[in-house]
Amino acid sequence: MATTDFCEACKTNEINVVEASDDPNQPYKLCNSCHERLVKYSLRPIEWYNLAVVHSPNKFSLHDDFYEENGEACQPEEDIVVTKKDKAPTLRNVRDNLESLLDFSITRWFLEDDVINALKKHDIERL
């Protein structure tokens, strides 16, 4: 039985494009729609978030010249429709789940006190 790899951004469509990133060993693996939005700096917040978890928000295509820390596009080259399901998680959404909290912390430009305090509430050995 073959396994299907899904787009790193939307996590629903199959991968159609492997796009080079700042790190040649870690390209973006995207469906056609997400690839188009990536190159147009028009990712939906959850797509930006999912990519930032894997690649970090410091990669050129994801960094703060183009996106806010909540994944909102600053300079989109096409209109973006964002529904409730397209929003990136907030600290409130993830603070009780260590794995989700760690993913969230990876997407921050800087670890601020609220995220550090949320991390401190988890078991140090698990952390």
Side-chain angles (χ1 to χ4, degrees):
M1 175 182 255
T3 60
T4 303
D5 290 324
F6 292 99
C7 173
E8 292 175 333
C10 69
K11 297 189 178 231
T12 56
N13 299 323
E14 290 184 27
I15 295 170
N16 304 110
V17 179
V18 177
E19 173 77 19
S21 75
D22 302 359
D23 179 352
N25 296 318
Q26 192 180 35
Y28 299 107
K29 298 174 184 173
L30 304 164
C31 66
N32 288 326
S33 299
C34 289
H35 177 256
E36 185 173 328
R37 286 192 291 278
L38 175 73
V39 298
K40 291 182 177 181
Y41 310 109
S42 303
L43 292 168
R44 295 177 181 120
I46 190 62
E47 295 164 348
W48 172 87
Y49 179 86
N50 290 336
L51 289 174
V53 166
V54 173
H55 298 275
S56 105
N58 298 315
K59 296 288 174 50
F60 178 78
S61 296
L62 304 176
H63 71 72
D64 62 355
D65 283 350
F66 305 115
Y67 294 94
E68 299 290 335
E69 195 171 52
N70 65 359
E72 185 178 323
C74 302
Q75 301 179 44
E77 294 179 9
E78 65 181 28
D79 291 337
I80 304 170
V81 175
V82 177
T83 65
K84 187 174 183 175
K85 71 176 180 66
D86 297 323
K87 294 191 180 272
T90 63
L91 179 58
R92 175 178 236 160
N93 300 134
V94 301
R95 67 180 172 205
D96 295 327
N97 180 293
L98 181 56
E99 186 175 330
S100 297
L101 179 57
L102 288 171
D103 285 349
F104 180 85
S105 69
I106 290 169
T107 70
R108 305 296 87 188
W109 309 123
F110 304 98
L111 277 183
E112 295 182 355
D113 288 343
D114 56 349
V115 176
I116 292 169
N117 290 333
L119 288 164
K120 286 180 179 179
K121 292 180 181 180
H122 289 272
D123 178 59
I124 190 110
E125 294 298 319
R126 287 191 63 220
L127 190 57

